[in-house]
Structure formats: structure tokens, C-alpha cells
Amino acid sequence: MEREDSLRERLIDVGVDLVMTEGTASLGLREIARRAGVSHGAPRRHFPTHHALLSAIARRGFAELEARFAAAADGTASPRGQLREIGRAHVGYALEHRGMFELMFRHDLLDSGNHASDGSRLRDSTLPLFELVVGLITCHRTDRAAAHRPGAPRPAEPPPAVTAAALWSNLHGLAQLWSWGSLPLVLDASSPGGAPDDGHLDQLVAAVLDAHLGPVAS
């Protein structure tokens, strides 16, 4: 007889495969159970609600995105450089895995603490990523202040968390508008496979950072 923890992971594996290949519309509870080779009632042993299973699938996406953030920032010394690479990784993941990205940021999953069968909340998966961005913005400001000329005026800035939220939103919107075809249209840029080439991605992420962190000091 299949171990219960093995069945739980298999249901999540099937859901991940479905959302990656067929999008969020494919994630019906019966379809996941059918693909896993179990009765349609079997998932209830591990996931009391459909939302609980969807949250478990989305947490896999956040785990991969967190790993991509870590890999992207590895070996990059400056906080701003790390934010640039994280921005590229964020947009790249969103365009490469559109179905998963859509699921990860569904409000009905992020907003509720009652969906997870193991007591964890999907929102908790987003916090380490957001806190990483907040921390890098704080370090960037510290570095910039150390290089600031004494007596020169310094502009007032919002708290790092507010800047991080605005930057995060800008990257998310960038990815969404590119996937819809709006940005390639206004930039007169071809978009083979749906993703921007490195040149456009570099320019767009750099513009986002300039907007929220200020231009790179000359």
C-alpha cells in the first residue's frame, strides 16, 4: 500500500506538472486525482479543500523562485547588482512559467490562512523573497550614504519596505505586460517564445531600478 506521505507528494507533483504544461485552468481536483491514479476523494486525506492543494502546488513555485533569486545574486558584490540580477530572475521566471506564476500570486490563496492542511500559509512563502529585497534596498542606501558628499542635500525617501513593494510591483507588471504582448508592441520588439531578449530585459530591469533606487552614480 502506498505510504500517505508518498501519495501527498505525488498529488503535488501532478499538480505542478499540470500547471506548468496546461495552465491554472487544468487544476481541477478530479483531474489531479485522475492523473495521480487515485479516486477523486483520495486527495481529501491530505488536503481538506481544493485551495489547500493549490497552495501546496504554489509553494513549490515559490521554492524554485527563491532558489533562482539565490543563484542570481550569488557572486554579485553590490546590493544594487544583486537587485538587478534578482529582477532579471523574477521576470524570467514569470515568463517561463506563466501558469505557475499566476497561481503563486492568486489573492484568494495568499490571503487566507485556512487553506493549508499542515498549518502553513502560502503567504509565508512570499515573505523571505520580499524581505530579501527589503534588505538589499537597505544595504544599497547605506552604501550610497557612505559615498555621499558631506553637506550635499539628500532627498527624502520612503521606508525600504515601501520601495521594495513598489519595485516588486513594477517587476511583476513588467512581466505581465510583456506576456500579454503590450510591451513588445509599444517597444516595437519581437518576442520569440514570449520572452524578451537579453538586451530588452537588461534595459527594462535597469529602468525599474533607476525609477525606485535612483540612477547609478557616475
Side-chain angles (χ1 to χ4, degrees):
M1 183 177 179
E2 183 176 24
R3 291 178 55 185
E4 289 297 302
D5 56 349
S6 176
L7 173 57
R8 183 183 190 280
E9 292 305 306
R10 182 149 61 92
L11 290 166
I12 298 172
D13 289 343
V14 168
V16 169
D17 183 64
L18 275 170
V19 76
M20 291 289 201
T21 58
E22 301 181 27
T24 57
S26 66
L27 291 175
L29 193 61
R30 286 178 177 268
E31 181 61 14
I32 293 174
R34 187 185 71 81
R35 298 276 185 113
V38 297
S39 70
H40 69 266
R44 300 291 187 187
R45 299 204 300 267
H46 303 283
F47 305 101
T49 67
H50 187 202
H51 280 78
L53 177 53
L54 295 181
S55 293
I57 295 166
R59 277 196 292 276
R60 290 276 190 89
F62 277 114
E64 182 179 350
L65 185 59
E66 184 174 14
R68 289 194 181 200
F69 276 18
D74 184 41
T76 304
S78 72
R80 187 184 182 111
Q82 292 181 59
L83 287 166
R84 181 187 65 245
E85 295 307 313
I86 284 172
R88 286 174 54 88
H90 184 94
V91 175
Y93 184 86
L95 294 174
E96 184 180 345
H97 301 303
R98 296 181 190 177
M100 177 63 85
F101 199 74
E102 177 185 343
L103 183 70
M104 289 160 61
F105 290 97
R106 268 181 49 170
H107 181 267
D108 61 328
L109 300 182
L110 288 169
D111 192 46
S112 176
N114 300 319
H115 297 326
S117 59
D118 57 3
S120 62
R121 299 181 303 167
L122 182 60
R123 177 178 174 274
D124 296 335
S125 298
T126 73
L127 297 181
L129 305 183
F130 184 73
E131 288 166 359
L132 172 61
V133 174
V134 173
L136 288 171
I137 289 172
T138 301
C139 291
H140 166 73
R141 289 181 179 180
T142 299
D143 289 352
R144 190 180 58 188
H148 199 68
R149 288 178 298 149
R154 295 177 59 185
E157 295 178 305
V162 173
T163 298
L167 192 153
W168 184 281
S169 301
N170 204 160
L171 291 170
H172 197 107
L174 191 164
Q176 190 69 71
L177 290 172
W178 193 279
S179 70
W180 288 342
S182 303
L183 283 184
L185 181 65
V186 298
L187 294 174
D188 193 24
S190 60
S191 181
D197 59 42
D198 286 343
H200 279 107
L201 183 57
D202 284 339
Q203 290 177 345
L204 288 166
V205 171
V208 170
L209 294 182
D210 285 351
H212 298 291
L213 304 180
V216 177
S218 58

